[in-house]
Amino acid sequence: MSHTIAIDCMGGDHGPSITVPAAFAFLRKHRKARVILVGQEEKIKPFLATSADCSGRYEIVHAEDVVAMDESPTLALKNKKKSSMRLALNLVKSGQADASISAGNTGALMAMSRFVLKMLPGIDRPALCPVMPTANGHVYMLDLGANVDCNAEHLLQFGIMGAMLASSLDHNERPRVGLLNIGAEDNKGNEVVRGAGILLKASGLNFVGNVEGDGIYRGEADVIVCDGFVGNVALKASEGLARMLGEALKQEFSRSLFSRLLALIALPVLRRFKANHDPRRYNGASLLGLRGLSMKSHGSADAIAFAHALARAYEAASNKAVERIGAKLAESRKQQEPYEPESE
Amino acid sequence: MSHTIAIDCMGGDHGPSITVPAAFAFLRKHRKARVILVGQEEKIKPFLATSADCSGRYEIVHAEDVVAMDESPTLALKNKKKSSMRLALNLVKSGQADASISAGNTGALMAMSRFVLKMLPGIDRPALCPVMPTANGHVYMLDLGANVDCNAEHLLQFGIMGAMLASSLDHNERPRVGLLNIGAEDNKGNEVVRGAGILLKASGLNFVGNVEGDGIYRGEADVIVCDGFVGNVALKASEGLARMLGEALKQEFSRSLFSRLLALIALPVLRRFKANHDPRRYNGASLLGLRGLSMKSHGSADAIAFAHALARAYEAASNKAVERIGAKLAESRKQQEPYEPESE
């Protein structure tokens, strides 16, 4: 079956010069896929591929406006009804596309996705779920978005949504769900997290218990649940330390002629290391809890990174991630009614 | 003036074989310092140094019991009144020592420090404040301990205590205090953190505003304030990613004969990198908010690491860290009375 991705071509630091070539690279790899290129037609056209193998599988939908990267989400929601970001979401809403993707302003994308696509029953706002590398694969972690005052129920919802996303993207029907915490024992953590542990245990998910900060990268779970505040800090702190050590190592290798020569000889090894840990492979975070599929690419993504995010959106659409999430959330709500009186 | 450190010689993974030699290395470097070696006399004696330059500056206080690394803090508090950990704290309480240090069970040390030394007015439980490397120096971060359900007032207290510790240890009278958050703007973060921002602004500290996760290692502040849950996760996550990348790089360098040779040639460069980032230099976390000085060493510390922690405890005692913290907390409580009616 064919699936269609609506692309906000104007979003991100580089706009159509990146998003349009990425779209064609994606079409060449996915022979049944279709894309709708949304944005200022005259800026998209110069980047269209002329190769025959993509013909008939793309169309352009003109959008006059563009949401700026630094625009206030509230103002964008109010004033940018004809923006490429908004029209791409409208195409999902109307059923003309199965997913939309944007490298634009995250806050505006959140607000518009929520307004246009609407939330699933019982969910307040979208959770942002990126995929991150681990020692032996990858992990989905959520929320890394705007949910910074969570209760235990929210964390349970994140667990359900993350597990259904993982099962859609990785064909793993029983993904291991872990709860980010400060120790292995049940009594560890703050009140909200301890409450979430009780709910996750009773959820029917493949809950593997608490995962500590270093367990994220050790691959102790396929899905890691946390509130948006903790997730954001953990992710940025770890990137920060990795960057600091990388810079220091680089400096050490540029101190003397000998060490500079050494670095030169070591280039093939270092390149292979870099390729194995290419962050572009992990581009494409899902906005979860919506009634439609909305994907976020890094703003600074290049064509390779953006194509990875497109492929992820396509995979999620093909495997009906939103439907799985909706069904499992509904099931969980039903289960909780007979369950609640027994719980503490 | 001479200062005396009481050392729990039995704590940590290696006990007296590490703590006693470290004590003598410390005495040789600090010619006015004195130590009290607390623990099982017959296990301490084999490691005593015979050199004349330390004579008269150490004594042994025999302690029958030892707190096990995996012992429950509550049980240790109840049953181990004659342990080396407890007696070392008693020596601070009675004024015979100016600080105590232990590489033992963290939870037990927290509980005993609180029980023996008592908290400063208005503080509920000790905050654990380690020192961590940054791109251009180091940073004190707190809490990394047991305060996992904090309110804004707690975070303000952490800011005050961390700033006074930094000023004691680094002779920096206006250390920059940052608030760990998920964005630079005042309206970012959860309710507690936003409230803490308001209090810190009005505190008279050199408050530099929000610091994001990656800002910790970029050296954007000298003191970083966070609740114990977020701090623990951020620290462990960053260590986890650094370890994962380090392992992967090592693997890359051991893949072929060529890359193994390369690693061998690069050894001097890699060694210098390691020396510059030697975690042993950062050993020694302070338990703050107590009426006396209690220091925690890593359990796995070797003699070099333990000697660094000893030096830090000595510096804090010499510069009256506890007195500074007490005075500033008292001042802050007074200031807040006229301030409160105006705040929201």
Side-chain angles (χ1 to χ4, degrees), chain B residues 66-86:
Chain B
V66 174
V67 175
M69 291 303 267
D70 56 357
E71 202 163 340
S72 130
T74 321
L75 289 182
L77 186 62
K78 200 177 145 197
N79 301 329
K80 293 292 175 70
K81 287 172 191 161
K82 293 183 173 171
S83 63
S84 53
M85 185 185 279
R86 179 71 171 264

Side-chain angles (χ1 to χ4, degrees), chain B residues 67-255:
Chain B
V67 175
M69 291 303 267
D70 56 357
E71 202 163 340
S72 130
T74 321
L75 289 182
L77 186 62
K78 200 177 145 197
N79 301 329
K80 293 292 175 70
K81 287 172 191 161
K82 293 183 173 171
S83 63
S84 53
M85 185 185 279
R86 179 71 171 264
L87 294 193
L89 289 164
N90 288 349
L91 290 167
V92 177
K93 177 73 180 172
S94 66
Q96 291 163 273
D98 302 289
S100 79
I101 184 165
S102 174
N105 184 325
T106 309
L109 182 63
M110 288 254 189
M112 280 191 188
S113 299
R114 187 180 175 190
F115 182 82
V116 173
L117 300 176
K118 308 294 179 216
M119 304 307 302
L120 287 164
I123 309 279
D124 297 332
R125 61 171 83 183
L128 190 67
C129 181
V131 52
M132 287 156 40
T134 68
N136 47 27
H138 59 255
V139 62
Y140 300 90
M141 191 161 157
L142 73 167
D143 175 42
L144 271 87
N147 296 287
V148 296
D149 278 306
C150 291
N151 59 33
E153 187 68 35
H154 290 131
L155 296 182
L156 169 65
Q157 292 170 347
F158 297 164
I160 293 171
M161 298 194 294
M164 294 303 103
L165 182 72
S167 74
S168 308
L169 291 177
D170 299 332
H171 309 284
N172 171 359
E173 288 304 320
R174 296 283 290 159
R176 297 163 302 152
V177 177
L179 178 63
L180 193 58
N181 205 335
I182 61 170
E185 306 82 4
D186 284 352
N187 63 352
K188 289 282 177 175
N190 56 33
E191 223 179 294
V192 169
V193 167
R194 288 196 307 269
I198 295 172
L199 294 179
L200 282 162
K201 252 189 202 166
S203 67
L205 294 172
N206 183 10
F207 180 54
V208 296
N210 296 338
V211 170
E212 294 189 64
D214 47 344
I216 303 170
Y217 297 102
R218 222 184 281 122
E220 292 180 2
D222 302 307
V223 174
I224 290 184
V225 170
C226 58
D227 84 34
F229 189 91
V230 174
N232 178 297
V233 166
L235 185 67
K236 285 192 181 154
S238 41
E239 286 175 352
L241 180 57
R243 197 175 307 122
M244 177 183 106
L245 294 175
E247 296 279 322
L249 195 58
K250 217 185 270 175
Q251 233 170 41
E252 213 52 75
F253 269 108
S254 63
R255 266 167 71 125

